[in-house]
Amino acid sequence: MTKDVIALTPAMPDPMALLAGLHAGGPDLGVTTSADDAVIHLCTPTGRRLVSVEAPVVVHTPGEAERLLGSQVAVPEVPFWWTEARASTAVPEAEDLAGSFCGRLTLLLGGTSWPPGAATVRVVDTPDDGEITAAPAPEGALPAVDVLTDSTAVVIVDRPVVALTAWLSHVLRATVASGRALHIVTPPHARLSLPLRTALTGPPNRWVVQDPDDGYYDGLSGAVLRWQDGTFAPAPDQDGGPAVAQAFRPPGSTAERQLTVSFRTHHAPAPDLVLGRGLEAAWQHLTGAAPAGWGTAEPINLPWSPRQLTALARDRAPDPSHLLAVGHRDRPALATLRVQRTRTGLAQEVTLALGLAAGTPAPLDAVEPLAEALVTRHGLRTLLVTLHPARADLTAPAHLQHPPAPVSFTLGAADVRAVGGAHARRAPLPQRPTALGPAAEPALHYRFGDGTDPAAWGDVDRLTRHLSAART
């Protein structure tokens, strides 16, 4: 049984339902709460944590449960409530307690649980005599993890897709604040969601894969890892160089692909400015529809609303906001959006990935019209489009992936003006750039190919050096 159990219920788990679930450890339960609890920890009288229960999240976005949990779960119609119970790996009885907690919620409220068969309604004997207590984590405390050393927090996860949940996002922020690395340990069949893959930007944070033949290796780089001095560190090969796990080898070619669109926009401050419109325009041009939902973590739970997104970013200002968006279930698409104040206004950084099933053509004809729209209406600074063979479901497996190939790059009008229009047009490329936007101050759109030749990165490098030379 996995240590994570999720209840998916059509009705909100109210305090009485949660209390009934907490009685999975026996009827004599002492509960203490606070007004802003996000997580309740079930502990033995000696202080050992058994289960952490996250605050229920209402999900309005169709397809999110299937995207993260697989198609074997009978998901209630949206909106439904997602309640997650995470069991401690240090106490064997904790997994049964998490299953009983979720089973009692679904018995009272209807719905289902994941993984199939994990939920029960029996009372679980706990390892310590006496009552279990439930209490919020102390303010500012590091969230409960499986292993904690002076340098590293280790989280052990066994799910088909390891996602950037609210809890894991909290763990990542807390480890950074405490000066530690976050190491996520999974079996080899697990995959990372695109938002979590993006958040794990490399060492000291790691995706650690536990392979039955190769031992531990880094799921993003393939480096063989060893546990030493309280952390996972690369193990050298016989020649002293970095050792790469055999399990990291790519399984073969794939006909599935991903189109990735990364762009930056900038707007002067204005009281009526609505954020997310550039992202919405990109989604419309590439898929024919707006995003289905947005949120701050996975599952991405809120219906798409640029105005609500803007309100949240304003509430968080001057701190930056990191937001997520997801497409409709019949057209896989995911995006990250970072909003940050600058000295002259608001900057938005967007990375949108579109999954393409085998035989599905990439919407390359829509790229230049998209660039034109971003230039004329959304304050585009830069836009890079790439294409590469990869899973259409936008998850990252624990093996080497094919590199992306560039399709195009667009330089916004402000940056063209900064390097000089004549110089920017004389780039050493096979094709001359196309002017976009107002003729007096155009942006320039550079084409590199159809996204099938990784060698086209040489053209990107020549363009970058050419543009940089004008700034020195």
Side-chain angles (χ1 to χ4, degrees):
M1 180 191 298
T2 182
K3 63 182 178 180
D4 295 341
V5 186
I6 301 168
L8 307 173
T9 60
M12 176 182 175
D14 57 21
M16 291 304 296
L18 289 174
L19 185 61
L22 293 174
H23 274 83
D28 298 322
L29 180 67
V31 178
T32 61
T33 61
S34 64
D36 59 349
D37 287 343
V39 179
I40 293 177
H41 299 290
L42 277 68
C43 304
T44 66
T46 57
R48 282 196 294 176
R49 179 182 62 87
L50 299 174
V51 175
S52 298
V53 180
E54 293 189 36
V57 174
V58 60
V59 178
H60 292 270
T61 312
E64 271 300 271
E66 295 91 337
R67 180 176 73 87
L68 299 176
L69 303 178
S71 59
Q72 72 273 27
V73 178
V75 180
E77 292 294 322
V78 294
F80 63 86
W81 290 84
W82 177 300
T83 307
E84 192 155 334
R86 176 178 172 80
S88 169
T89 56
V91 184
E93 295 85 355
E95 295 182 356
D96 292 335
L97 186 60
S100 185
F101 170 82
C102 290
R104 288 162 185 260
L105 284 188
T106 56
L107 178 66
L108 287 172
L109 304 174
T112 188
S113 61
W114 178 90
T120 69
V121 293
R122 65 185 180 86
V123 174
V124 179
D125 293 330
T126 56
D128 294 295
D129 293 332
E131 65 181 19
I132 300 174
T133 61
E139 184 176 356
L142 188 72
V145 297
D146 295 291
V147 178
L148 184 64
T149 71
D150 291 340
S151 65
T152 305
V154 178
V155 174
I156 303 172
V157 185
D158 185 1
R159 292 162 77 148
V161 177
V162 186
L164 188 62
T165 63
W167 175 82
L168 195 52
S169 179
H170 185 195
V171 172
L172 184 57
R173 290 193 302 270
T175 53
V176 170
S178 66
R180 292 180 172 91
L182 173 61
H183 290 180
I184 301 173
V185 181
T186 76
H189 64 259
R191 307 186 306 277
L192 300 189
S193 72
L194 182 62
L196 180 57
R197 167 67 182 86
T198 303
L200 290 179
T201 54
N205 298 327
R206 292 189 185 278
W207 175 19
V208 181
V209 179
Q210 186 176 14
D211 186 81
D213 298 320
D214 280 357
Y216 296 101
Y217 70 93
D218 190 303
L220 300 180
S221 71
V224 175
L225 302 174
R226 297 288 184 269
W227 180 259
Q228 52 189 26
D229 299 325
T231 192
F232 284 101
D237 60 16
Q238 293 179 349
D239 298 325
V244 178
Q246 289 295 315
F248 190 65
R249 292 179 301 176
S253 61
T254 176
E256 299 179 1
R257 295 175 295 169
Q258 293 179 18
L259 182 75
T260 303
V261 178
S262 301
F263 62 91
R264 296 185 300 115
T265 64
H266 191 273
H267 295 273
D272 59 347
L273 176 63
V274 178
L275 303 174
R277 293 297 192 195
L279 172 59
E280 184 176 73
W283 226 294
Q284 289 277 9
H285 276 79
L286 297 174
T287 73
W294 76 283
T296 59
E298 297 178 283
I300 300 172
N301 62 316
L302 300 172
W304 175 248
S305 171
R307 293 195 177 279
Q308 291 181 2
L309 181 155
T310 301
L312 176 65
R314 284 178 173 163
D315 288 343
R316 292 183 170 183
D319 293 332
S321 292
H322 297 266
L323 307 171
L324 306 175
V326 68
H328 298 271
R329 71 173 85 197
D330 60 341
R331 196 68 186 273
L334 282 166
T336 59
L337 169 63
R338 186 176 191 271
V339 180
Q340 186 172 23
R341 278 190 183 179
T342 69
R343 291 184 296 106
T344 57
L346 277 175
Q348 298 177 77
E349 297 180 8
V350 172
T351 298
L352 167 60
L354 179 66
L356 303 170
T360 302
L364 300 184
D365 291 343
V367 171
E368 189 169 318
L370 167 61
E372 177 88 36
L374 293 175
V375 166
T376 56
R377 295 192 291 274
H378 301 288
L380 181 73
R381 301 300 298 267
T382 61
L383 165 66
L384 176 65
V385 180
T386 63
L387 185 66
H388 72 290
R391 293 180 63 101
D393 63 10
L394 303 175
T395 60
H399 59 69
L400 181 65
Q401 299 193 73
H402 298 276
V407 173
S408 65
F409 176 76
T410 308
L411 189 67
D415 292 272
V416 170
R417 183 172 62 250
V419 303
H423 181 82
R425 286 186 175 87
R426 292 195 302 269
L429 299 176
Q431 302 182 62
R432 290 182 60 82
T434 301
L436 302 177
E441 287 196 339
L444 292 177
H445 181 70
Y446 304 87
R447 294 177 297 277
F448 303 118
D450 60 0
T452 59
D453 184 10
W457 283 112
D459 289 337
V460 177
D461 181 63
R462 283 186 286 275
L463 174 62
T464 301
R465 287 188 281 109
H466 177 77
L467 297 175
S468 299
R471 301 177 184 269
T472 57

